Amino acid sequence: MGTLEDRSTRDSIFPTTGNSAAMAATATGITKRYGEGNTEVLALDHIDVGFIASKLTAIMGPSGSGKSTLLHCVAGLDELTEGEVRIGQTSISGLSDQALTLLRRERLGFIFQSFNLVPTLTAEENILLPLLLGGEKPDREWEQRVISSLGLDDRLHHHPDELSGGQQQRVAVARALVSKPEIIFADEPTGNLDSSAGAEVLGFLRRAVDDFDQTVVMVTHDPAAASYADTVIFLRDGRLVDTLENPTTELVLDRIRALEG
Amino acid sequence: MRAMVLLSLRNIRKNKIRFGLTTFAVLLGVSFVVASFVLSDGLRSSLNTMIGTGFENVDVQVRAESDLDEIAFTDRQIDESVADILVDIDGVAAVNPNTDSMSVTPLNGNGEPLGSMMSPVVAVSWDGSEIGALRLVDGRVPGPGEFVLDQATAERENMVIGQSYDVVGSRGPEPFELVGINRFGEEGTLGDFGMASFQLAELQRLDESEGLVRYIDVAGEPGVGAEVLASRIDAALPSGVEAVAQEALVSELEDELSGIISIFGNVLLAFALVAVFVSTFIIGNTFNILLGQRVRQLSLLRALGASSRQIRFGALFEALVIGLVASIVGLAGGVGLALGLRWIMDLMGLSLPTIDIIINARTIILALVVGIGVTLVASLSPARRAASISPMAGMRAGFRFGSGEGTKRTIIAIVLAVIGAAGIAYGLFGGSDNTALLFSVLGLGAVCAFVAVSMFSPLFSSPSASFLGLPLEHLPGNKITGHMARKNAAKNNKRTASTAAGLMIGLALIAMASVVATSLKSSFRAEMESTVVSDYFVTASNQSSFSGRVGEQVAALPEVESVYSVRYGNARIGGEQHGVTAAEIELLDELLDVGLVSGDPTASPDATDLLLQSDVAEELGVAVGDTVPVDFAAGGTVTMTVSGIYENSFLVGDYMIDLSAWESYFTDQNDATLSIKLADGVTLEEAGEALQPLAAAFPQLEFETNAEFQERVEGQLDTLLIIINVFLGLAIVIALLGITNTMALSVLERTREIGLMRAIGMTRRQTRSLVRLEAGVVSVFGALLGVAVGIIFGWFAVLAIPGEMIDRLTIPYLSLAIYVVIAAVAGLVAASFPARRASRLNILDSINEM
């Protein structure tokens, strides 16, 4: 392992084994600027990054590093100032709102830190929401499998306010899985959970990657959460400054300290 | 407090749109109130000016004496020779006998009668004298075979000096030459009230009133007071004739017209108050919304040390600002509305003089009181709730305003319901003579009832909304948004109920008006079919009377079996003035079934016979054979004998006398309506052909079959209903604004949810549907509830209206259903603006909103 400076060249960001066909999503030269003049903030500074298919990638960095912004931009939730993002072969940079919305519905899944569920719908309705929005019939067998794996069988007709935090996040995971998306984007999915509930959710995400070849991209500030990932990428001041393959909690902690040092 | 003031002003500036909508709701109500006063004040002022002008040079007017009220065209005529007496009286400078006639009708170049019910053209005598207000503008004063027309009518009808036009008198049309143009007063405006001026003798000849005039104008010598002159003249007059001084003339007419104007103004005011009432609901709702948005800010203020009182003050201050702005803009708006209404009335052909626009102190104060008052009242409860926010409460995510104490609200609602029912019952059925009192009590009762209904409605709004939303679950392509819209509408019963309240009130009133109008129509139709036996009717299109000669000519036709003259006048019976109907009692059975209960009036009726409707007979405590003293304007007091009592007052009213009585006691011998019974075997077409020459000779008369007559009257009812609905439409507009506001709140409260769903894949269009469908459900709920309440109100109204006009309840189900559909669609449209804003929410900002 070299020093930080050694690893800060752009080429090392792309995994050595990868070719673009194995990328679930790629971002090329993406930049995000807020405000103007004196108040201008450069949230993302010309980042090139790829997210490998069927892997769990974690995005980490100190607050203000742009990690959430990166996730949002790649997921089509936010607009780039410069650069291009591709989901699979599809460039999302020029898409209309309608097209982007459909893309998110049909090809992506989302798990947010809190407020993942629509309060007026039951757990089952929340799980099926992307499909219902599209008027599609769910794959009942797959749905049942996901629900059972997540232990939600007896919670299906409850409303979110009748579920614990952990259960709500599991419903969110189920929702993300049931529509069989190309990528699941998770923004601090365990941020509001206690350690055991959090570990449960991360375990499910890990199993989804291992057993079902799901691609997951996760923003987290928690080194323990990051340890579940295959790859961890580190941001600081809007730039990609480090990556780590096959992380453990200690390794991640080391890298973070190095970043902040 | 200054900090609160600053904060309040800043808040207003930041939420301009939301405040703007609220202000608009208030100002609509204020405008309507202002407009009603501006118009009635202006109308009164213009009419008073007109009256003043009309009597400018008339110091004393001599006319038939009577204490029965009639406006302008009376049936009192005096002998022309009275003028000779006047000339010799000391102090009299000039004497000018005059008459006028509603049964003389000039025709324009196309043979169409001048004037209509809305803008009548009166035939008057005129010799160009200085007394009186008419001034020659062009041409000359009319002589035999000539006439002069007022400027406005001449221009409108394209009639020019030198041309010959037909004038229809008692005997039919005669050619007259138009020799001059005159106008009323110096400015010449009497609205569209037209005058055709003839030489006195010619006019008398035309309507067969030779030797009679309606009044004699007298100008006094300079230096002689009008009062003095009047008493001098009065002393010299024969009995039955009086002299009235100018001042009395003016105030008499002013008072009569003022009464009518007051009614007009009060009707407008009633509609205005409905609008204001609806506004109050809307504003209360909106304030809850606005304060709910700022819960966090308010609790922060409390944490920093602001007292409850200061928070409440801030909320009330914002209300004050809104009220003030709404009042001031409403004042301007009211003037604009008055101008608009005036323009519409011109278009409808209502003859009115140019109405001044008068804004006096009372109107300005009223605008301020209504605007500020309504806003403050509506903000009291929300302000109290805002003040009760504890410092930390607002910081918690998901904090919502508490709903008011349950039992207290229920008790208030029940009390209001009882007061409302009592008020309505009294207003409708109470026997007081003071109509103003009755209407006020009725109005207050209605208000209480409405408030009670809206306070009860949260009890069933959720299940109702859920039920009404069922179809949304099956919308193709939009099932999930439909499902969510339904759930959202059913979720918050108080929110749904108060949003729907405005629409409920508007639709209740429209439904009530519809029920009453439809019941009127069906009663009328039923009566026509069962009661009326005649085949044809002749009426004057300007609702006036026409010469008896027409009836004679009709009777002469072989196709006609009998002709039934009906005349309407006034007389004093039992101490009060009532309408009397004169007809040939002998022929009563053949043409009309009045439901005789006792007596046999058709056997040799004479001029002392009096027929009474049964309720009236009961009130007077008389039976067949008893005598009743009756005062007639021209005929004096006559002792009449009750010869019959009947049930059905349709078309004939409560008091009937024989035609011979009319001939003896009234000076005008014109008919109001002719009922025609055709001979056996004559078809309507044949009768129509036979009557055609008469119809051509008297184009100002309507010759209609039973069916045509019915149609025309029903058409008038329909028009009235449309006008009422247009006015009520204002209340509906305000209610729709309320829906817009509430949906905007709903969107705001669900920002995170909308953001989440957009992230997961809800399109903009689906977002819009979500908002609109919810509004649709709420609107349908409000509309249905309103229609239900309206039907009940309508039923009460029908019970209260006298049986001679309405005898059955008919509910126009189809119309009501259409109204509900329109309300639903309007609700969808009202939600468009918040729907669009919802669809344009920034996804990330929304998700991250705390």
Side-chain angles (χ1 to χ4, degrees):
Chain A
M1 303 194 190
T3 59
L4 196 59
E5 290 73 34
D6 289 348
R7 309 187 78 87
S8 65
T9 52
R10 287 193 341 182
D11 293 334
S12 66
I13 302 310
F14 289 96
T16 44
T17 51
N19 52 43
S20 51
M23 292 296 173
T26 52
T28 325
I30 59 176
T31 303
K32 176 83 187 172
R33 236 175 249 129
Y34 291 109
E36 286 168 0
N38 287 356
T39 54
E40 189 182 87
V41 171
L42 201 54
L44 297 176
D45 190 356
H46 300 90
I47 295 182
D48 295 307
V49 67
F51 298 99
I52 310 172
S54 304
K55 295 286 179 200
L56 174 58
T57 307
I59 307 176
M60 297 193 76
S63 56
S65 58
K67 55 186 191 292
S68 283
T69 311
L70 175 62
L71 185 88
H72 295 151
C73 285
V74 176
L77 287 172
D78 203 353
E79 255 180 44
L80 292 167
T81 318
E82 284 169 39
E84 197 202 24
V85 166
R86 284 179 178 266
I87 304 284
Q89 298 302 323
T90 316
S91 171
I92 70 170
S93 306
L95 291 182
S96 67
D97 180 270
Q98 177 80 1
L100 262 178
T101 306
L102 289 176
L103 182 138
R104 288 197 303 270
R105 179 199 292 174
E106 290 159 9
R107 296 168 65 179
L108 304 179
F110 290 91
I111 304 169
F112 295 101
Q113 176 172 359
S114 60
F115 201 86
N116 267 296
L117 307 180
V118 177
T120 39
L121 299 176
T122 62
E124 182 171 21
E125 286 165 341
N126 268 292
I127 291 172
L128 294 175
L129 193 50
L131 296 165
L132 290 171
L133 283 170
E136 288 169 39
K137 293 258 189 290
D139 178 347
R140 287 288 175 196
E141 217 188 286
W142 174 239
E143 179 197 342
Q144 188 50 50
R145 231 171 127 191
V146 168
I147 288 173
S148 298
S149 317
L150 284 158
L152 292 170
D153 295 278
D154 55 352
R155 290 268 177 261
L156 286 180
H157 301 294
H158 286 101
H159 284 88
D161 57 3
E162 295 163 316
L163 301 173
S164 70
Q167 286 165 336
Q168 287 181 26
Q169 287 305 74
R170 275 190 273 150
V171 171
V173 173
R175 178 186 69 216
L177 288 173
V178 166
S179 58
K180 294 193 220 164
E182 289 171 30
I183 310 177
I184 293 180
F185 289 99
D187 192 353
E188 306 268 13
T190 59
N192 275 11
L193 301 175
D194 62 54
S195 46
S196 63
E200 220 176 29
V201 168
L202 291 165
F204 287 128
L205 288 175
R206 185 71 246 175
R207 273 177 48 206
V209 172
D210 292 336
D211 297 347
F212 304 129
D213 283 333
Q214 184 67 56
T215 309
V216 179
V217 177
M218 174 175 74
V219 163
T220 183
H221 66 275
D222 176 11
S227 69
Y228 284 76
D230 298 300
T231 307
V232 183
I233 66 177
F234 295 88
L235 265 66
R236 190 178 71 177
D237 296 329
R239 271 190 234 107
L240 204 47
V241 293
D242 199 357
T243 64
L244 175 60
E245 306 284 333
N246 305 314
T248 65
T249 315
E250 288 74 30
L251 283 172
V252 171
L253 271 169
D254 285 341
R255 293 298 178 98
I256 291 179
R257 262 186 252 119
L259 264 182
E260 291 168 356
Chain B
M1 287 308 172
R2 215 179 55 154
M4 295 311 301
V5 169
L6 262 168
L7 206 55
S8 298
L9 290 175
R10 203 62 67 71
N11 276 323
I12 293 177
R13 207 155 1 124
K14 209 175 116 204
N15 282 306
K16 268 193 288 258
I17 299 182
R18 197 67 39 73
F19 275 98
L21 274 177
T22 320
T23 312
F24 191 59
V26 183
L27 97 82
L28 276 180
V30 172
S31 296
F32 217 153
V33 170
V34 167
S36 73
F37 280 105
V38 166
L39 270 180
S40 50
D41 286 345
L43 197 53
R44 195 172 288 123
S45 151
S46 304
L47 282 172
N48 287 351
T49 310
M50 190 184 95
I51 294 170
T53 312
F55 288 121
E56 215 167 35
N57 297 321
V58 174
D59 291 316
V60 176
Q61 191 177 78
V62 171
R63 62 187 190 195
E65 186 172 19
S66 166
D67 50 6
L68 287 181
D69 322 312
E70 312 215 20
I71 301 179
F73 309 105
T74 74
D75 67 355
R76 307 176 283 189
Q77 287 171 306
I78 56 181
D79 209 284
E80 196 175 343
S81 59
V82 170
D84 300 331
I85 308 175
L86 301 176
V87 176
D88 297 322
I89 296 180
D90 185 26
V92 168
V95 169
N96 193 238
N98 271 311
T99 196
D100 44 52
S101 176
M102 288 286 279
S103 52
V104 170
T105 313
L107 306 180
N108 67 10
N110 297 329
E112 294 154 354
L114 297 185
S116 61
M117 179 163 71
M118 301 291 218
S119 13
V121 169
V122 184
V124 298
S125 69
W126 185 55
D127 59 1
S129 107
E130 279 293 306
I131 310 177
L134 287 172
R135 299 273 171 270
L136 194 64
V137 170
D138 197 4
R140 60 168 194 276
V141 171
E146 300 172 343
F147 76 114
V148 166
L149 205 52
D150 72 282
Q151 194 170 31
T153 308
E155 273 171 25
R156 193 180 64 232
E157 303 277 1
N158 268 322
M159 293 166 77
V160 292
I161 296 179
Q163 290 276 56
S164 173
Y165 300 94
D166 279 339
V167 175
V168 181
S170 304
R171 281 171 274 249
E174 288 177 37
F176 270 72
E177 187 188 339
L178 181 64
V179 297
I181 306 283
N182 60 9
R183 67 177 177 210
F184 184 86
E186 292 312 319
E187 276 135 30
T189 45
L190 209 59
D192 287 330
F193 207 69
M195 290 188 174
S197 307
F198 298 82
Q199 188 190 50
L200 178 59
E202 283 291 79
L203 191 56
Q204 288 168 326
R205 182 179 63 79
L206 280 170
D207 78 346
E208 296 184 283
S209 59
E210 285 90 339
L212 296 171
V213 291
R214 290 199 195 278
Y215 42 92
I216 304 176
D217 291 332
V218 178
E221 279 161 9
V224 180
E227 300 286 349
V228 169
L229 193 57
S231 47
R232 251 184 242 167
I233 295 175
D234 205 55
L237 291 172
S239 73
V241 185
E242 63 177 1
V244 186
Q246 186 195 57
E247 208 173 306
L249 283 172
V250 167
S251 60
E252 202 180 81
L253 202 50
E254 276 178 6
D255 285 342
E256 275 174 21
L257 289 177
S258 185
I260 296 182
I261 293 171
S262 292
I263 294 178
F264 168 69
N266 285 343
V267 166
L268 274 186
L269 191 60
F271 283 115
L273 288 177
V274 167
V276 167
F277 181 47
V278 171
S279 295
T280 321
F281 277 93
I282 305 313
I283 301 162
N285 228 12
T286 311
F287 279 138
N288 269 325
I289 294 174
L290 292 166
L291 287 167
Q293 274 177 256
R294 302 203 322 258
V295 161
R296 273 197 0 257
Q297 181 197 95
L298 290 169
S299 66
L300 182 63
L301 282 174
R302 297 274 284 123
L304 291 176
S307 70
S308 283
R309 188 136 58 91
Q310 284 174 310
I311 302 274
R312 190 198 314 241
F313 171 81
L316 289 174
F317 180 76
E318 280 169 21
L320 184 70
V321 170
I322 293 178
L324 193 60
V325 170
S327 299
I328 296 175
V329 178
L331 201 56
V335 173
L337 190 60
L339 286 169
L341 279 173
R342 183 175 81 177
W343 180 71
I344 292 178
M345 289 196 284
D346 277 347
L347 278 185
M348 294 202 304
L350 271 172
S351 84
L352 295 164
T354 342
I355 305 175
D356 304 332
I357 296 294
I358 295 199
I359 310 166
N360 54 27
R362 177 255 273 129
T363 311
I364 296 178
I365 293 176
L366 209 59
L368 286 170
V369 164
V370 169
I372 297 178
V374 158
T375 334
L376 276 178
V377 162
S379 70
L380 281 177
S381 176
R384 190 175 37 87
R385 291 216 206 114
S388 71
I389 294 177
S390 73
M392 284 325 291
M395 302 285 196
R396 274 187 270 118
F399 176 84
R400 298 278 174 264
F401 267 139
S403 41
E405 312 84 24
T407 14
K408 200 162 129 191
R409 273 179 71 91
T410 320
I411 294 180
I412 295 180
I414 295 179
V415 168
L416 278 176
V418 169
I419 295 179
I424 293 175
Y426 181 72
L428 285 178
F429 303 107
S432 163
D433 275 340
N434 186 345
T435 38
L437 178 69
L438 282 179
F439 271 115
S440 311
V441 170
L442 182 62
L444 277 174
V447 165
C448 288
F450 274 127
V451 174
V453 170
S454 62
M455 284 179 91
F456 278 123
S457 58
L459 292 175
F460 50 87
S461 58
S462 279
S464 306
S466 188
F467 174 71
L468 290 170
L470 270 175
L472 295 181
E473 301 273 355
H474 305 285
L475 280 178
N478 251 328
K479 288 211 183 88
I480 185 67
T481 42
H483 174 71
M484 289 189 68
R486 175 181 174 224
K487 279 192 140 177
N488 284 327
K491 181 173 61 176
N492 186 338
N493 56 2
K494 285 196 64 196
R495 174 74 55 71
T496 302
S498 61
T499 310
L503 216 53
M504 185 258 297
I505 295 171
L507 257 94
L509 292 172
I510 289 182
M512 176 179 80
S514 289
V515 166
V516 170
T518 314
S519 300
L520 264 173
K521 277 202 304 195
S522 63
S523 297
F524 174 67
R525 199 177 299 153
E527 291 288 2
M528 285 291 289
E529 277 160 18
S530 67
T531 313
V532 172
V533 183
S534 62
D535 305 301
Y536 248 92
F537 282 100
V538 180
T539 48
S541 59
N542 58 358
Q543 304 287 42
S544 64
S545 53
F546 50 92
S547 162
R549 292 210 179 271
V550 178
E552 285 170 21
Q553 294 185 49
V554 170
L557 293 173
E559 287 86 351
V560 170
E561 187 181 304
S562 13
V563 176
Y564 191 52
S565 284
V566 180
R567 301 177 178 178
Y568 299 112
N570 289 323
R572 179 177 289 117
I573 304 170
E576 270 174 35
Q577 182 172 313
H578 295 287
V580 275
T581 306
E584 281 162 277
I585 304 294
E586 201 171 19
L587 300 178
L588 198 53
D589 291 334
E590 289 186 22
L591 288 155
L592 202 66
D593 176 14
V594 292
L596 265 180
V597 172
S598 68
D600 186 19
T602 58
S604 56
D606 63 38
T608 61
D609 279 354
L610 178 67
L611 285 79
L612 299 174
Q613 203 268 342
S614 53
D615 293 333
V616 166
E618 218 178 287
E619 259 174 54
L620 288 174
V622 296
V624 172
D626 292 341
T627 58
V628 179
V630 178
D631 299 327
F632 293 98
T637 309
V638 179
T639 308
M640 304 190 80
T641 318
V642 180
S643 65
I645 296 185
Y646 58 94
E647 270 301 320
N648 198 343
S649 50
F650 182 65
L651 280 189
V652 296
D654 293 332
Y655 304 86
M656 286 187 73
I657 59 178
D658 187 58
L659 208 55
S660 57
W662 182 286
E663 283 160 4
S664 307
Y665 312 134
F666 289 85
T667 51
D668 236 323
Q669 297 304 320
N670 293 332
D671 293 326
T673 311
L674 291 176
S675 260
I676 303 171
K677 183 111 194 301
L678 298 175
D680 282 331
V682 175
T683 67
L684 288 177
E685 288 77 31
E686 287 166 357
E689 274 175 38
L691 290 168
Q692 180 50 29
L694 267 178
F698 294 94
Q700 78 274 31
L701 301 181
E702 300 276 359
F703 289 72
E704 290 166 319
T705 63
N706 205 322
E708 288 165 351
F709 177 64
Q710 247 182 267
E711 245 176 72
R712 184 160 62 90
V713 172
E714 288 182 19
Q716 287 172 348
L717 271 173
D718 285 333
T719 309
L720 184 63
L721 189 59
I722 291 177
I723 294 176
I724 292 179
N725 282 348
V726 164
F727 278 117
L728 287 175
L730 184 69
I732 303 285
V733 166
I734 298 178
L736 290 173
L737 277 178
I739 291 181
T740 308
N741 257 358
T742 314
M743 291 317 300
L745 165 67
S746 195
V747 164
L748 217 83
E749 283 179 344
R750 300 205 307 263
T751 303
R752 292 192 78 183
E753 190 178 312
I754 295 176
L756 173 73
M757 291 189 71
R758 288 277 288 131
I760 291 175
M762 180 169 73
T763 61
R764 283 190 171 145
R765 186 190 293 177
Q766 285 173 314
T767 315
R768 288 196 291 267
S769 295
L770 189 63
V771 176
R772 280 206 286 251
L773 289 171
E774 184 185 338
V777 171
V778 172
S779 302
V780 170
F781 170 67
L784 284 175
L785 185 60
V787 163
V789 170
I791 289 179
I792 295 178
F793 278 7
W795 177 43
F796 283 167
V798 163
L799 285 176
I801 292 180
E804 72 198 37
M805 297 199 341
I806 289 191
D807 68 350
R808 65 197 56 209
L809 177 70
T810 313
I811 301 178
Y813 291 109
L814 183 61
S815 302
L816 293 177
I818 294 178
Y819 290 142
V820 172
V821 168
I822 294 178
V825 171
L828 288 175
V829 170
S832 291
F833 181 64
R836 261 195 79 230
R837 291 200 75 195
S839 73
R840 299 204 160 262
L841 284 174
N842 180 291
I843 298 175
L844 283 175
D845 289 343
S846 309
I847 295 177
N848 292 329
E849 193 216 55
M850 263 268 289

